[in-house]
Amino acid sequence: MDYRFFLGIGVAVAIVFAGAAVYTGFEKQAPADSPGRDTLYQISTIDVLMQGVYDGNVTVGDLKKHGDFGIGTFDRLDGEMIVLDGRVWQAKADGTVSPAMDNQTTPFATVTYFDTDIRQTTMDRAMNYSGFTTAMAAQLPSQNMIYAVKIHDTFPSVTVRAIPAQEPPYPNLTVAAKEQQVYTFTNVTGTVVGFYTPAFLKDLNAQGYHLHFLADDHLRGGHILDMTVPANSIVQYDVTPYFTMALPTTGAFVGTNLTADMSAALAAVEQ
């Protein structure tokens, strides 16, 4: 059965299980003439992933029904997911990038349909990842909204990581991340794909910017650890005021204790 709860906090939130639909709350759904286009659709929560729940529960084929743009990971934490222009790519720890098959599964992913609402220009000097995220967050119309984020440019440097597939019993993400493989690309043309998530959703997703990269040649990519953003680069934002979460009804998720604050551990892993 489907239970959807819409919270009157500026973002409409729907938490989806399996089955018939019941609605309670105060915020209306996305407009009927653009169903789902302004919705961030998320599989599971970041805190669950942090605690080692890596078994995929939603297929890539099903995920693509909810968006053409996004990021995530794959079953057993096998690499980084980049969703761009409706195609899903898998950047693996061995440095390869390949199209994901529709029957592959994901334990955690976020997608939406990307429609540019805002264009901002970066500073007239190159910035590293930290400088970029700080400067651009300060320019957002509101830091209380979800934004899909896209940048296409030639980057002087992009450093990415991917974590190899884990074997059960799964370690938590802090431990698994110690196996990450890191790659640095120079003078690479490609697309930064990701999201800005407000602080009040920090237990559900990574707070602030969470960005992945895919080169135009589709041969290089991963989770961005650092990058040099060129001067006067164009950053496209899609304001995404609706949020739907699909939670597993079976498997390790059901028994996972989610009362702990994982924000500090997550910040360390994301860096």
Side-chain angles (χ1 to χ4, degrees):
M1 87 191 59
D2 288 353
Y3 302 91
R4 302 172 190 265
F5 302 92
F6 297 98
L7 308 182
I9 53 176
V11 175
V13 179
I15 300 179
V16 182
F17 295 92
V22 175
Y23 298 95
T24 63
F26 317 99
E27 200 70 64
K28 67 181 182 179
Q29 296 184 69
D33 60 351
S34 57
R37 291 203 70 85
D38 287 329
T39 296
L40 180 72
Y41 182 80
Q42 178 169 310
I43 306 299
S44 192
T45 79
I46 194 68
D47 277 7
V48 172
L49 197 73
M50 283 295 300
Q51 296 196 48
V53 180
Y54 304 147
D55 288 327
N57 56 81
V58 174
T59 67
V60 167
D62 284 340
L63 186 67
K64 290 194 296 186
K65 297 175 183 177
H66 298 277
D68 59 9
F69 178 95
I71 57 177
T73 187
F74 292 89
D75 180 56
R76 299 186 297 135
L77 209 64
D78 188 13
E80 306 290 338
M81 178 186 293
I82 306 104
V83 185
L84 182 62
D85 298 327
R87 300 183 69 185
V88 181
W89 300 89
Q90 182 178 16
K92 302 188 72 171
D94 64 3
T96 63
V97 176
S98 59
M101 306 299 291
D102 281 353
N103 62 356
Q104 288 183 252
T105 57
T106 175
F108 179 80
T110 49
V111 295
T112 190
Y113 291 97
F114 195 93
D115 300 301
T116 302
D117 293 316
I118 302 168
R119 284 183 172 85
Q120 292 185 345
T121 304
T122 61
M123 295 181 180
D124 58 1
R125 57 177 175 79
M127 294 183 289
N128 64 11
Y129 187 89
S130 177
F132 165 80
T133 57
T134 300
M136 299 310 293
Q139 295 182 36
L140 292 173
S142 170
Q143 295 188 15
N144 296 329
M145 297 297 294
I146 300 169
Y147 301 88
V149 184
K150 181 194 292 186
I151 313 170
H152 183 267
D153 212 323
T154 298
F155 297 86
S157 176
V158 179
T159 299
V160 302
R161 70 104 184 271
I163 298 174
Q166 302 296 297
E167 298 296 334
Y170 298 127
N172 63 41
L173 189 54
T174 301
V175 174
K178 294 178 181 178
E179 300 180 26
Q180 70 184 18
Q181 298 299 305
V182 177
Y183 302 91
T184 297
F185 314 127
T186 57
N187 297 318
V188 58
T189 302
T191 306
V192 171
V193 174
F195 296 93
Y196 174 91
T197 302
F200 64 81
L201 291 177
K202 66 181 179 64
D203 293 331
L204 303 181
N205 207 321
Q207 179 181 343
Y209 286 89
H210 182 182
L211 306 175
H212 290 188
F213 178 77
L214 181 67
D216 280 2
D217 61 13
H218 299 152
L219 297 177
R220 293 164 288 177
H223 169 101
I224 295 177
L225 295 175
D226 200 3
M227 62 178 174
T228 303
V229 181
N232 302 311
S233 189
I234 302 299
V235 185
Q236 299 178 63
Y237 290 98
D238 179 11
V239 182
T240 310
Y242 298 91
F243 177 57
T244 295
M245 175 179 290
L247 298 178
T249 57
T250 60
F253 172 87
V254 177
T256 300
N257 184 343
L258 296 177
T259 60
D261 183 355
M262 307 295 294
S263 55
L266 175 60
V269 169
E270 290 297 301
Q271 300 302 316

